[in-house]
């Protein structure tokens, strides 16, 4: 069965610094997508970044980038130049035949 | 693009009454819509998956007679909590996607409080 694991329940980062959130997944499928979602205190889930498994190039969206290691089944999120507005729960997600969420990482940004 | 609305955002009701929550994809047609429940500081718990014109597929442990889902069109799905009880109080979130393996886009959620 597919699973998504986020091993860091909480993380903190100084404003303007860089932080990396970890995610690993388990699957036997070859065709799948991976996502990072952000859930701020408003609780609105926001898509941050997506990665197609067939693409070797790591996805980037402004200050957000991923390190996709397909063989290791790892999909970490790097946030550069952290801002106060980045404080939120971050969920890693997998979609193949089914959709799975990780348990989330709570990110605190310290001014 | 990819905006999903959810209404109402807040609802308080008396025990025993029914509550309907609407989920709409505003600028795209959603082949599939999902309903989640989220408890404080926890991940999303999938309740059911619905495809337009088909019966919803419920996750194990979710009472289909209590949580009625209707997906009448490619842009609208509704969740009705029937005979609500205080233990049904929660945050309910819908999402929609265009195709399999595509991203899900989420509504802003509905906070339900049953007194």
């Amino acid at each position: 069965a597919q699973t998504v694991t986020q091993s860091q329940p909480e993380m903190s980062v100084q404003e303007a610094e860089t932080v990396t959130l970890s995610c690993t997944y388990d699957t036997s499928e070859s065709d799948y997508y991976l996502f990072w979602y952000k859930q701020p205190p408003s609780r609105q889930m926001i898509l941050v970044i997506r990665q197609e498994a067939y693409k070797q190039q790591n996805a980037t969206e402004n200050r957000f980038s991923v390190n996709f290691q397909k063989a290791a089944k790892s999909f970490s999120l790097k946030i550069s130049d952290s801002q106060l507005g980045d404080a939120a729960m971050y969920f890693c997600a997998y979609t193949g035949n089914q959709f799975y969420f990780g348990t989330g990482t709570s990110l605190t940004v310290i001014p | 693009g990819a905006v999903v609305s959810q209404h109402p955002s807040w609802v308080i009701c008396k025990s025993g009454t029914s509550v309907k929550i609407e989920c709409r994809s505003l600028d795209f047609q959603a082949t599939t819509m999902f309903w989640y429940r989220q408890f404080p500081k926890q991940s999303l718990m999938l309740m059911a998956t619905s495809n337009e014109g088909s019966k919803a597929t419920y996750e194990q442990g979710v009472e289909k007679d209590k949580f009625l889902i209707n997906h009448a069109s490619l842009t609208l799905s509704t969740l009705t909590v029937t005979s609500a009880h205080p233990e049904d109080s929660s945050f309910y979130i819908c999402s929609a996607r265009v195709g399999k393996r595509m991203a899900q886009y989420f509504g802003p959620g509905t906070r339900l409080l049953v007194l």
Side-chain angles (χ1 to χ4, degrees):
Chain A
Q2 289 82 359
T3 59
V4 178
T5 302
Q6 293 180 250
S7 59
Q8 306 153 316
E10 297 179 346
M11 292 282 284
S12 62
V13 62
Q14 292 279 350
E15 195 175 4
E17 297 294 310
T18 295
V19 65
T20 298
L21 309 183
S22 301
C23 173
T24 57
Y25 60 96
D26 186 26
T27 185
S28 57
E29 297 177 314
S30 57
D31 182 18
Y32 56 89
Y33 285 61
L34 297 162
F35 308 92
W36 279 98
Y37 285 89
K38 168 185 177 181
Q39 188 179 37
S42 68
R43 302 186 82 175
Q44 167 77 63
M45 292 283 285
I46 301 165
L47 177 63
V48 174
I49 198 164
R50 80 185 79 195
Q51 174 79 45
E52 295 89 337
Y54 63 86
K55 287 189 177 179
Q56 291 186 331
Q57 186 172 6
N58 289 322
T60 299
E61 289 287 342
N62 300 312
R63 297 183 296 106
F64 299 87
S65 61
V66 298
N67 183 3
F68 175 46
Q69 301 290 327
K70 190 172 182 178
K73 295 178 182 173
S74 170
F75 182 61
S76 60
L77 174 70
K78 185 171 82 171
I79 305 174
S80 304
D81 185 27
S82 296
Q83 301 175 0
L84 295 177
D86 295 333
M89 282 288 289
Y90 286 81
F91 293 98
C92 178
Y94 166 103
T95 186
N97 286 319
Q98 300 278 9
F99 198 96
Y100 298 94
F101 277 102
T103 51
T105 296
S106 178
L107 178 66
T108 300
V109 180
I110 303 166
Chain B
V3 178
V4 177
S5 70
Q6 198 171 331
H7 179 80
S9 56
W10 256 110
V11 59
I12 301 173
C13 69
K14 292 182 179 180
S15 185
T17 60
S18 294
V19 174
K20 180 185 282 189
I21 303 169
E22 286 191 353
C23 178
R24 294 181 184 271
S25 56
L26 298 184
D27 52 0
F28 67 101
Q29 292 186 324
T31 54
T32 307
M33 288 185 166
F34 304 84
W35 288 95
Y36 293 88
R37 187 171 179 177
Q38 188 180 33
F39 294 102
K41 298 188 178 181
Q42 292 189 22
S43 188
L44 280 68
M45 182 184 77
L46 180 64
M47 298 175 66
T49 302
S50 73
N51 294 293
E52 183 261 342
S54 303
K55 288 185 177 180
T57 301
Y58 291 80
E59 295 298 302
Q60 194 171 8
V62 178
E63 298 176 60
K64 59 182 68 177
D65 293 331
K66 180 166 190 63
F67 298 100
L68 300 178
I69 291 171
N70 182 274
H71 193 159
S73 74
L74 285 171
T75 59
L76 173 64
S77 178
T78 59
L79 168 68
T80 301
V81 183
T82 62
S83 187
H85 288 98
E87 56 265 31
D88 299 324
S89 299
S90 192
F91 188 66
Y92 293 88
I93 310 176
C94 74
S95 71
R97 73 177 184 195
V98 174
K100 209 172 185 180
R101 295 185 171 79
M102 294 296 106
Q104 291 185 27
Y105 296 94
F106 289 83
T110 296
R111 289 168 175 79
L112 170 63
L113 178 61
V114 184
L115 302 176

